[in-house]
Every structure is written in C-alpha cells, then in structure tokens.
Amino acid sequence: MHLAISLNIAAATGEAVLDFSRISKFVRQAEAAGVDMVAISDTADGPSSSPFEATTLLAALATVTDKIGLVAAASTVAHQPYNLARRFASLDIISHGRAGWHATMAQGSREAANFSRPEGFSDTDFRRRAEEYIGIVQGLWQGWDADALLFDKTGGRFHDPEKMHLLDHKGEFFSVRGPLNVARSPQDTPVLVLSDLSEADLDIAARTADVILLESGSVDSAKVRFDDLKRRAMAAGRDPDAVKVLTSISFAPDDGPAATADRLETQLRAKSCDGFNIQLSAQHSALGDFVDHILPALRQRGLVQEGYRGTTLRSHLRLDGGGDQ
Amino acid sequence: MTARMKLGAFLWATGHHIAAWRHPKAHVTAGIDIDHYIQLARTAEAAKFDMVFCEDAAGLREANVGIASQTSRSIGFEPISLLSALAVQTSRIGLVSTASTSYNEPYGLARTFLSLDHLSGGRAGWNLVTSASPIEAANFGSTGLKPHADRYERAREFAEVVTGLWHGKASGHDGQSFSVRDPLGLPRSPQGAPVMVQAGASDVGRDLAARTADVVFTAAQTFEEAKAFYDDLKGRMATYGREPDDIKIMPGVSPVVAETEAEAREKHEELQALIPDDVGVALLSSYLSISDLWRYPIDGPLPELPESEGMKSRQALVVEQSRRDGLSIRQLARHFAGARGHWRIVGTAAQVADELQAWFEGGAADGFNVMPSYFPGELDAFATLVVPELQRRGLFRRDYEGRTLREHLGLKRPA
Ligand SMILES: Cc1cc2nc3c(=O)[nH]c(=O)nc-3n(C[C@H](O)[C@H](O)[C@H](O)COP(=O)(O)O)c2cc1C
C-alpha cells in the first residue's frame, strides 16, 4: 500500500513557529521510514505555524533529502498557470524527480480577496477554470521531449527544435502560448494530487490526477467511491491503476497501534483504497508514534514494504514514467 | 574606514556570453544541475560576495526556434525555487531573484519572497522588473505586451502593496490594479523586509527606483554613461524624502580575466569565435525591439528605428554605441553578444581592479553585478584573481560584517 504523510503546518496550532530544521528533521524521519511522500499544506488566507510558503519550503527540503516524494499545495487562484507549471517543473528537477503539485478543488474562503478578486468565483466558474488550468499545467509539463537537449558544443546545437512544442492554448479563462522554459521532468511530469472533490469534480480528477485524496468514512462508502473513481478513470481511457486513491486518516493518540493497524488493514483488504494519507501535525512526537509503533505493525502484516525501490515519486507510487522501477 | 564596494554574482545559464555553453570548459548541463548551482553559490560566498543574483523571464528568450536552439537560454531553473534550494545550502550570502510585476500578484509575490527570507535567515531580495518581452506576454493572455507606461503604473502600485505587506502596515488595499484584504500570515522578516532591487533605467523606471528601491541594477558601456545615470538617480532621491546613500547603484560588468593580458584577450577571442552570425543578430534585434534586422546588410550601419515599447533604456544604449563608434550591424552584434549590453573588461586582475576602482571612486557605481562569461571558470577566476586584488586595495570586505543582506549592503533596517 502507498503511504503519504500530510504535514499540516499551515494551520495555526497555537504552538511556537516551526523553523526549517524542525521541519527537515520531521521529513527525514518520514524518509527513513520509507513513506512514499510528504504533502505540505499551504493556504494564503490565514496565519501559519510555519513561516514558509509551500513551494519554497519544498525546494529547500529537496536539498536535504534524497528519496522521499515532496508534494506542495499551491492554489489555482494564487498563481498564473504558466508560473505554477514552471515553479513545479523546476522543483521536480531540483528534487531529481520527486515533486508533486497538490491542487484543491475547493475554493479558499478568503483567498480570492487577496488576489484582486474581491467578488470570488462562482462554484461552476471555479471548477471550469480549475479544469482548464490543470490542462494547461499538464500540457506545459510535456512541452519538451525527454531527449530534446543535445548539448552539442561543437555542432552548436543545444537542443533539437523539433522536440520543443508550443502549447498554443486559447480557452475560456486563459491563453497560454508556451513552451515552458524548464526542461522535461526526470519522472516525465510532476505528480498531480487532487483533493476536496465534489461530485462534479470526479470526472476531472479521474481524467487528470495521479493521486486522489479522499476523506475518511466507513469502509463501505470508501469502497463505493474507490470503485466509482476507478471506473471513471477507465471510461476516460486510463488504466485504473494509473490513479492512486488514498484515504485520509488521522489518529487519536490513545487509539493504540494494533487497533490502528487493524483499521487500516480492514480498509485495504476491502479494496477501498490504494493506501493512506496520514494527517499529522508537524510535531515530532506525532510522527514518532506512527513510525515507531504503527508502521512496524503494518509491516509485520506484510502491508507495507521496506524502503524505496526507485528514486522518483512516480516510481514509489508505481506510476508510469517513473524512470527506474 | 573607506567605503567598500558591493558585489553581486549574477548566475545565469551556462554564462553571460551568448556562446558560453560552447566553450570547452563551460558546464553545459547547468540548466538541469542543481549541484552546479550550489557549488557556484558556495564559491561566491567563500569570496564574500554580497549576493547571488538571478534574472528571470516567464518564457523563452528568443522567438525564432532555430536561433533559440543554438543558445543555452531556453531552459533553466525557475529562480525562486532555485534560490530556496540555495538558501539552505549557504549561510551568509544574499539571494536576489528577479520577478515581474506584470505577471504576478503582489500578495503572492510578497509571501513567496518573505518565505525565502525566512528560509535564509534574512538574506532575500526581490529584483523588480516590468517585463519587456512579447514572448512572455503571450503566456499570460492574448492581448500582447502592455504599453511601457501602463506596465510601470502597475509596477508602482504593485511595489506599494508589497512593501506595505512586508512592513506589516494596516492591511487592506483597493487600487487600480490590485485589491488585497488580509495581512500576510507570516512573521516579520529577519532583516525588517526583504531588499528591494530594481532593474529598469528609463525615466519612469528611475523614478520608481528612487521611490522604492534599495539597490538598482543597471547597464552602462562607459564611465560617462554610468556616472550620468548615478548622479541622476541619486539626485532624484530627495524628491521622495530619501538620502542618496539609501540606494546602491550596481552596474553589470562582465570581466574576462587571466594571469596575463594576452591570455585574457585570447580567452575572449575564443568565446567571440563561437558566436554564429544569425544568433548575434537575433540577440541584437531583441535589444532593439525590432524583428527584421536581418533584412539589412550585416556589414552596413543600423537602420533608423522607432522608439521601443519594450526596453527603452537598452535600445538607447545600443543606438548610442553604434553612432559613437560607427559600428556595423555585425560588429555591434558581436559586441553585444559578449556581455549583453553590459560593461566588459578584458585583462589581468590588476587591470580589472583598476577599472572597477575608477568607476567606484569616480562616483559612477556603489558596486557591481559581476556577470561571468561562462561558468564555473570565469566566476572562479574572478573569485581567485580579482577579489584578493580588491581586498588588498581595501576596496572589498575580507569577511561579512553581518548576517543579513541588508547588513552586507549597509542599508537601514526599515522601521
Ligand atoms: C540592467 C537591467 C536588467 C534587467 N533584467 C531584466 C530581467 O532579468 N528580466 C526582465 O524581465 N526584465 C529585465 N529588465 C527589464 C526592465 O526591468 C523592464 O522590464 C523594461 O525593460 C523596461 O525598463 P526600462 O525602464 O529600462 O525601459 C532589465 C533591465 C535592466 C536595465
């Protein structure tokens, strides 16, 4: 099963502000435990318990880790699609193919008002805009073929112009010519993670997402949504396994590792998800509980494998294009 | 203590010379190699540079794909992510990135730079540009490049909102181009506020700099040009209730330095010989903001040009140089391909230091943004040959005086 840890450092916890060394220690601990990815939350509409915006933090973390996937939240309201695509393409090269973009399909309550849109967006406009936006970003990420760079000093050919493609997107909300001025990702494209899906977003997610985060619920309801999403992915012409569905869970400290492991095992055996997104506050002890007690219990049951097989986030997630598998 | 000059290490692609990437010793995979950049930043830090500096463009540099594919400038790191990575791999050097006021929103940009400032312990700076290229404009809508005056009006409001957010002024802004409701949800900067840099040298550009900038990055070919710019800009400071010393003026300089003058000349010629004519002419056209320069005889003079809506200052600089020295299109193209319109010095460490000293002591510069022709060789050469010479002359620091970029630059901490 796949394991993500969501680091909710944007949420104010009332605790002292977290500095970089504490956050990096936390992420390295997750890496040592073989977790597929850490997702860093971000909101531009409230106080944060970290002084860092998620993409800048991801770049810094990329230089102090070497295996774990790093996913940053970034909003479709706060960035222009060209700039966002470029930032993540660059993060993916900095991290040697371990980056992902987490886009929420829910509109932040105060965000638009800080980005010169005091009137906000209607729900349908927000959705149509987000869909167009995601298409642009994924298109830009494919603007350069993997073998476009020639580096031919004597021949004077730096790249092959045939292997660079314009996007030439003209849509309802955006017009973007492209191409990106960042090379192709070492893992083909950065991983796209979507969450906060409403019914109307399910097809968009099934068409575009690599990872979908679902809220926790009963095993039965999770199973229904899981099957539904996989069916929609197939209907969109994708291999159902090309979309990983992770159920978000959080623990109460007194649940006990065996009980928690039972809970996860039941959900997994029912085929209601491909893995879990563990929601933790950025506290060392919270991760320690998970790594030292719950993870060994899951390993013992053969539910989690040891270590990383490849080096890219796509390879951890068994997604195509991940390079070394 | 006599004043010391400020030095920036301007990191760009494989080097500032258009043909840098073809040099046998140039690191040709720079645009996809983060370790290379970490190494460059550490070299600059060991040499006690005030800052590393990154330019930016949200698009290709060259529209003609055939030309673009003969340069190394079509791909590279996005600078804010690059500097965020460098922030935790260095400990003292300042980190300045260019970002456009035309294609960003002030709330997001203020937040991102403040985050970089926190990651680096108060070493971040923002180089404000208004973006002059139609290639970038096409990535942000279908209406093309906005007129120069409109871009600067937006930039003025943008800068006001950003500094307001950084200084924690009462929140809420409802203006012509932007509205912002909340304060940033981040703590105050370790250096009071990130450093404001500006590049843009037209009349409105200078006014905006005098109003808001801590540092100005500029291009000049001669001492006289640099001196005139320096006096003009320092003279504008009083209008905004600021001291002349509140702004540091740093022209770009691209030195080619070696142990002997003959070696330096040879190194320079070696680079010049690698420039294909069509690449040189295309680059010149972009500085002149015209698209059909190739129609004119390459060994003839520049044609008459309409005034640019792009980069007014750079167009003026090229035209001025062509008239002054009676250069043909080919000669001009080769001249500007070498250092992109910036000042170039070819010589020994002592000769380079003499020239820098003359500009510095003659009141034409507070420091320099050093633009190595190719990486890593020419940054290494500057660090090992020129920096010790400047230190011997008492013109440059032997160690950092402080921790933050503001402290390095001798700037006041904002209230
Ligand atoms: C020395 C110098 C460096 C510049 N660097 C950049 C840059 O990196 N990216 C960019 O978009 N514009 C850059 N510009 C362009 C200007 O900031 C501005 O966008 C445009 O050229 C108008 O400037 P003007 O006031 O010189 O006409 C630079 C300008 C100067 C003078």
Side-chain angles (χ1 to χ4, degrees), chain A residues 53 56 86 110 114 116 178 181, chain B residues 23 56-57 105 115 139 182:
Chain A
E53 177 275 339
T56 54
R86 190 171 166 232
R110 298 174 67 86
N114 291 325
S116 309
N181 52 2
Chain B
H23 191 278
D56 191 41
E105 281 281 318
S115 179
N139 291 324
D182 301 316

Side-chain angles (χ1 to χ4, degrees), chain B residues 55-56 98 129-132 136 148 151-152 199-202 205 217-219 310-314 342:
Chain B
E55 59 76 57
D56 191 41
T98 300
V129 298
T130 64
S131 300
E136 294 177 89
H148 191 269
R151 297 202 312 273
Y152 266 108
S202 59
F217 172 43
T218 171
M311 208 155 152
K312 290 189 193 294
S313 58
R314 192 67 53 95
H342 288 265

Side-chain angles (χ1 to χ4, degrees), chain A residues 59-309:
Chain A
L61 288 170
T63 71
V64 297
T65 54
D66 51 31
K67 284 284 167 47
I68 194 164
L70 299 166
V71 175
S75 134
T76 54
V77 173
H79 303 261
Q80 285 283 326
Y82 189 89
N83 292 340
L84 181 137
R86 190 171 166 232
R87 176 78 52 82
F88 279 90
S90 183
L91 291 171
D92 214 11
I93 295 178
I94 291 171
S95 64
H96 302 288
R98 296 184 287 130
W101 169 39
H102 177 190
T104 169
M105 296 302 286
Q107 208 174 151
S109 60
R110 298 174 67 86
E111 194 167 50
N114 291 325
F115 289 87
S116 309
R117 296 279 197 152
E119 69 292 354
F121 299 92
S122 74
D123 284 346
T124 48
D125 274 2
F126 184 85
R127 174 173 309 112
R128 281 210 313 278
R129 187 176 171 280
E131 183 176 16
E132 186 181 332
Y133 192 115
I134 288 167
I136 294 167
V137 169
Q138 290 186 322
L140 288 169
W141 282 341
Q142 296 171 57
W144 291 83
D145 294 347
D147 57 353
L149 302 181
L150 304 171
F151 303 124
D152 173 8
K153 287 184 178 187
T154 41
R157 299 191 326 145
F158 186 81
H159 62 82
D160 182 347
E162 305 280 304
K163 295 185 173 174
M164 180 196 88
H165 312 285
L166 294 185
L167 183 69
D168 259 332
H169 171 89
K170 288 191 182 61
E172 183 184 358
F173 297 92
F174 303 101
S175 171
V176 181
R177 161 111 44 89
L180 221 50
N181 52 2
V182 181
R184 188 62 172 261
S185 155
Q187 58 170 345
D188 192 36
T189 63
V191 167
L192 176 67
V193 180
L194 292 180
S195 68
D196 303 303
L197 306 181
S198 69
E199 187 66 28
D201 300 321
L202 295 176
D203 277 326
I204 302 172
R207 251 197 320 275
T208 62
D210 299 304
V211 176
I212 294 173
L213 305 180
L214 291 180
E215 295 310 308
S216 64
S218 72
V219 177
D220 291 341
S221 69
K223 169 106 189 109
V224 169
R225 281 177 310 164
F226 179 83
D227 291 342
D228 179 42
L229 277 167
K230 298 280 175 165
R231 222 173 9 249
R232 287 174 196 257
M234 273 197 289
R238 299 178 77 191
D239 177 345
D241 230 24
V243 192
K244 305 297 177 187
V245 178
L246 307 186
T247 299
S248 297
I249 51 164
S250 45
F251 312 115
D254 41 289
D255 273 355
T260 305
D262 282 347
R263 206 170 112 206
L264 300 187
E265 181 169 8
T266 310
Q267 296 193 39
L268 213 57
R269 300 240 182 264
K271 294 201 165 47
S272 73
C273 62
D274 295 304
F276 300 95
N277 169 38
I278 317 287
Q279 293 177 307
L280 295 177
S281 69
Q283 300 308 318
H284 192 62
S285 59
L287 183 63
D289 281 349
F290 179 73
V291 167
D292 295 338
H293 304 295
I294 299 170
L295 209 51
L298 294 172
R299 283 226 173 82
Q300 225 167 35
R301 301 168 192 214
L303 296 173
V304 182
Q305 65 205 29
E306 298 282 343
Y308 299 97
R309 287 201 301 183

